[in-house]
């Protein structure tokens, strides 16, 4: 593929032009859904602060512009969730030309499944990870912490967003195996490297220095990786007879 791209660089321009159109439409979708989420920002903020004792009223802002930044961050997350099916559809439209007819139909069904996985990951973070993490963070070493909007909402938004994306791992691995790009045996043999990468990502995503919250992020991601190996085994293409029968000399 690399050699073909070097020999025929003009072909890449066609793909870049197509990608530009899809990216532009995706940005338009995201802007519209973010505006819609902004109009309903109060119920969203109240929902995100339900794990806190006292809810939204327990947050205390210090900076004058603190509320503006947090509101925009939450509105962007809400807009991304609403635009997710359209964004996934744009990705499908970009890659569909390189798929066979049967693969096109099967990959189209992956869009609602991807949305279900993403929402399921966010629900897992909201109903399981947050209740376990907040008491530890707000009363670490017996020091009571008064949460601020500028720290609470970025923490929650990052956790929900990245856990939602993490739940896409098994689906992505299944699709790649279905297309013949990866196989379950290779993924299983690289499990040590995968755990190291997951640990690094968990440390970056949690934005905290304590190992407890890193473990809360790392354990489900590790489990999702091994689930993805199982799905890759189910979805991988069977070897042709020429690949399974050794050649005779």
């Amino acid at each position: 593929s690399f050699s073909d791209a070097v020999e025929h660089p003009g072909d890449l321009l066609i793909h870049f032009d197509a990608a530009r159109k899809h990216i532009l439409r995706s940005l338009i979708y995201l802007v519209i859904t973010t505006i819609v989420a902004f109009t309903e920002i109060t119920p969203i903020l109240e929902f995100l602060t339900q794990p806190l004792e006292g809810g939204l009223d327990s947050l205390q802002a210090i900076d004058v512009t603190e509320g503006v930044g947090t509101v925009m961050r939450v509105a962007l997350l809400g807009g991304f969730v609403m635009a997710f099916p359209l964004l996934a559809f744009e990705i499908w439209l970009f890659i569909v030309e390189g798929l066979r007819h049967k693969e096109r139909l099967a990959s189209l069904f992956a869009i609602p499944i991807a949305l279900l996985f993403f929402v399921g990951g966010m629900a897992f973070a909201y109903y399981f990870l947050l209740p376990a993490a907040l008491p530890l963070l707000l009363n670490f070493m017996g020091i009571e912490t008064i949460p601020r909007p500028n720290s609470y909402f970025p923490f929650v938004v990052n956790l929900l967003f990245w856990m939602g994306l993490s739940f896409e791992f098994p689906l992505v691995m299944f699709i790649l195996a279905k297309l013949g790009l990866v196989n379950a045996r290779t993924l299983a043999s690289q499990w040590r490297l995968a755990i190291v990468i997951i640990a690094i990502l968990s440390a970056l995503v949690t934005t905290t220095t304590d190992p407890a919250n890193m473990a809360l992020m790392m354990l489900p991601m590790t489990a999702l990786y091994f689930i993805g190996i199982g799905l890759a085994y189910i979805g991988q293409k069977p070897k042709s007879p020429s690949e399974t029968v050794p050649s005779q000399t």
Side-chain angles (χ1 to χ4, degrees):
S1 300
F2 180 76
S3 61
D4 291 341
V6 173
E7 294 176 1
H8 306 284
D11 296 341
L12 290 177
L13 298 178
I14 300 176
H15 296 295
F16 286 148
D17 184 64
R20 179 181 60 82
K21 296 178 181 178
H22 293 298
I23 293 174
L24 179 60
R25 286 200 297 262
S26 299
L27 291 176
I28 294 174
Y29 300 149
L30 188 59
V31 169
I32 294 175
T33 54
T34 300
I35 293 174
V36 174
F38 183 78
T39 60
E40 300 293 332
I41 194 63
T42 300
I44 297 176
L45 293 176
E46 292 177 347
F47 176 77
L48 293 179
T49 53
Q50 282 185 3
L52 283 175
E53 185 178 355
L56 186 60
D57 295 334
S58 63
L59 298 178
Q60 295 186 11
I62 298 177
D63 298 331
V64 176
T65 60
E66 186 171 345
V68 178
T70 56
V71 166
M72 293 307 300
R73 186 188 294 266
V74 174
L76 184 60
L77 174 64
F80 182 85
V81 174
M82 288 187 289
F84 188 88
L86 296 174
L87 301 179
F89 185 66
E90 288 294 334
I91 296 175
W92 180 82
L93 289 176
F94 179 69
I95 66 175
V96 69
E97 296 297 332
L99 302 178
R100 292 188 291 268
H101 180 72
K102 293 182 179 180
E103 294 174 340
R104 293 180 181 183
L105 184 60
S107 61
L108 185 60
F109 282 109
I111 295 178
I113 298 176
L115 176 62
L116 182 63
F117 277 36
F118 184 78
V119 175
M122 295 180 65
F124 177 79
Y126 181 83
Y127 290 105
F128 292 96
L129 295 186
L130 275 181
L134 287 178
L136 178 63
L137 292 176
L138 297 179
N139 298 279
F140 186 73
M141 298 295 292
I143 302 174
E144 185 177 358
T145 303
I146 300 177
R148 294 175 51 189
N150 199 27
S151 59
Y152 176 78
F153 285 115
F155 170 74
V156 173
V157 168
N158 285 338
L159 188 63
L160 296 181
F161 176 77
W162 289 108
M163 186 53 64
L165 286 185
S166 298
F167 268 59
E168 302 292 341
F169 287 171
L171 180 61
V172 171
M173 294 165 68
F174 173 80
I175 294 176
L176 293 178
K178 194 73 175 178
L179 298 177
L181 300 178
V182 299
N183 60 77
R185 177 173 295 182
T186 301
L187 294 173
S189 64
Q190 300 295 327
W191 67 270
R192 296 178 180 85
L193 177 61
I195 290 179
V196 173
I197 296 176
I198 289 173
I200 296 174
L201 291 176
S202 301
L204 296 175
V205 168
T206 52
T207 66
T208 60
T209 57
D210 61 285
N213 284 284
M214 177 181 170
L216 288 174
M217 192 73 181
M218 182 178 175
L219 291 177
M221 291 178 66
T222 303
L224 289 169
Y225 180 79
F226 287 103
I227 293 174
I229 293 176
L231 292 179
Y233 179 80
I234 296 174
Q236 65 188 9
K237 294 181 178 180
K239 293 184 178 180
S240 60
S242 60
E243 295 175 331
T244 55
V245 178
S247 59
Q248 297 180 358
T249 58

